[in-house]
Amino acid sequence: MIRHHAPLMPALLGLLGITFGVSLLVGAVWLRPQDLLPALFTRPWPLAALIVIDLRLPRAILACLAGGSLGLAGAVLQGLTRNPLAEPGLLGVTTGAALGAVIALYFGLTAAGEIWGPVMGIVGALGASALTFLLGRGGGILSLILAGAAVSGLMSACISVALNLAPNPYAAYEIMTWLMGSLVDRSWHHVLLVLPFVAGGAVLLAMTMRALDALALGEDQAMSLGINLERLHVMVLGGTALAVGATTAVTGAIGFVGLLAPHLLRPFVAYQPGRLLAPSALLGALLLLTADILTRLIQIGPEIKLGVVMSLLGTPFFFWLVVRVRRSGP
Amino acid sequence: MISLTARHLSIRRGGRTLLDNVSLRAEAGELLAVVGANGAGKSTLLTALAGLRKPDAGQVMLNDVPLSELTGTTLARIRAYLPQNPRCEWPLSVERLVALGLTPSLPLFGDLPATARARATAALADCDLLAHREQSVTTLSGGEFARAMLARAFIGNPDILIVDEPLTGLDPRHAIEIATRLRAFARAGKLVIASLHDLTLAARYATRILALREGRLICDGPSGQILNAEMIRAVFDTDGKILGEVDYPYVDYRGPT
């Protein structure tokens, strides 16, 4: 039976708003709403206002941008491949971003300026997606996915090389921790850096809506309905590279969001690939924001990384999936 | 009046010639049955006529315009195409599946406009699917699914309908039902091109039969005139006889010689 949940978007928006508010209050210094609000209207800003404006607000916004990009791109890629296990890293974009950032760390560019990591990450993501496109073009979705896997493998191999040849254990450690993903100490510079990329990417990805719907009928029928598959591939790849590439460059690799968000919501939009995009972006943002709050709540020695929390939250989902498939299977 | 003309079409793939110098002209009002053995090039011909596959030589013209000069969306509004064994890869509702046929005229964003919903209702009613409107397509029977796909093709009111093996896998009642709908569509002044395995149904429902063998067009004519034992042998390498009454012929195969 098909379920219709009209208030899905308002519900997600409401939850996201509440979680966003909570994320501003939680951390090393706990704030109460009744203290924060007056603080924001006091000049000069007291400490509470500074903590929120300089530290937590950019961090929460980045969590939303990153989670939203992952959720949106995940929904688009699952629609494109018609495979509920597709995720934004499928086309090599995230490993490309990671490699770019790792190169910046490896050659000490980040010492020259914090922003070099993300900048190199974006370069890496765009480079990887261009490579995937050139390698996989003209052969339908399968060749695109294969090209993505090949490029992804190449990028991972290069990251391993960087780890292997790291000049000292500290450099290797720095790379490893970066790869685990985090939103700690991200500033407005990072927000401003990724915002145009995320906006551009989101527009490209949102424009694939009708094509994804038509692809439910397979590639032949989608083509017969006037969908230009080559153009669609460019939009998906470009959109993912811009949005996910840029945010991965800032946050590090974060798995599961792009896989989980669309998968969980599909029944609520009556399985329509196009209608899944906006809710999936919201749920992605909600998931990452929640995971980021958890990193601040879990106090066990060193900071627990965002990507690690997301994996811990995400893997039970796989177990659940296995159980469900076993039940409905032959 | 709409017409589709193929001029010296050839398609090769991996060193094999799938379609060899095929020329034909089909006009509105015709139900053209493309017959031939497995691998004779029927599907290849249909995808080329639908403009989904660029020929290696020759061209297909819609009226007097080569298909290659039309945009995908323009062509999509004029002709509908259903592949062999069409699928729906998500458990959409029947109404949503049918409405996908309107893709070329939908706005870029947003839910289905009211006009699209009204057209979906009409298409569902035409194909006796109103009762299944909200049902998931995965729960439809084979016959219902075939009807839903036909409704998806009819909904845009195309001038040309190209269907690959629409009757395969259907029981006799549903096969006859779909064939009747295709014939009604042709009689309403549209051009229908369908590949068919069943010569009996081709003889009864098509206005014209076109036979392929190894990528070449070996005969083309009104279904009442060209069907005979020699033709069956030439096309299928099998002996056969045309039995039955004048308006209700049936083809009886007698095994290979």
Side-chain angles (χ1 to χ4, degrees), chain B residues 77-88:
Chain B
R77 291 203 184 105
I78 298 170
R79 72 92 186 84
Y81 166 80
L82 289 179
Q84 191 171 355
N85 300 321
R87 292 162 301 164
C88 184

Side-chain angles (χ1 to χ4, degrees), chain A residues 1-2 4 78-79 82-84 206-207 209-210 213-218 220-221 223-227 266 270-273 275, chain B residues 52 72-73 76 79 81-83 86-93 96-97 100-101 103-104 106-110 134 136 149 152:
Chain A
M1 201 48 219
I2 286 158
H4 286 286
Q78 292 187 3
R82 287 147 283 150
N83 184 336
M207 276 164 52
M209 191 179 149
R210 296 285 177 226
D213 281 339
L215 267 177
L217 298 167
D220 282 353
Q221 283 203 71
M223 268 166 73
S224 83
L225 288 166
I227 305 298
R266 192 164 282 118
Y271 297 89
Q272 293 169 55
R275 242 178 88 194
Chain B
L52 298 178
T73 327
R79 72 92 186 84
Y81 166 80
L82 289 179
R87 292 162 301 164
C88 184
E89 313 216 25
W90 300 110
L92 301 178
S93 72
R96 292 287 164 168
L97 172 85
L100 287 180
T103 299
L106 288 179
L108 197 55
F109 298 105
E134 296 295 324
S136 162
M149 276 295 172
R152 162 355 237 140

Side-chain angles (χ1 to χ4, degrees), chain A residues 85-169:
Chain A
L85 291 180
E87 51 102 25
L90 192 68
L91 301 176
V93 169
T94 46
T95 40
L99 178 62
V102 165
I103 288 174
L105 287 169
Y106 185 85
F107 289 104
L109 287 175
T110 41
E114 181 83 56
I115 216 72
W116 275 105
V119 169
M120 283 300 288
I122 293 170
V123 171
L126 293 175
S129 60
L131 196 58
T132 301
F133 179 70
L134 290 177
L135 202 62
R137 66 181 302 179
I141 185 65
L142 187 64
S143 73
L144 195 69
I145 294 173
L146 283 174
V151 170
S152 201
L154 176 67
M155 301 288 153
S156 304
C158 293
I159 291 174
S160 301
V161 169
L163 279 170
N164 195 170
L165 299 182
N168 56 63

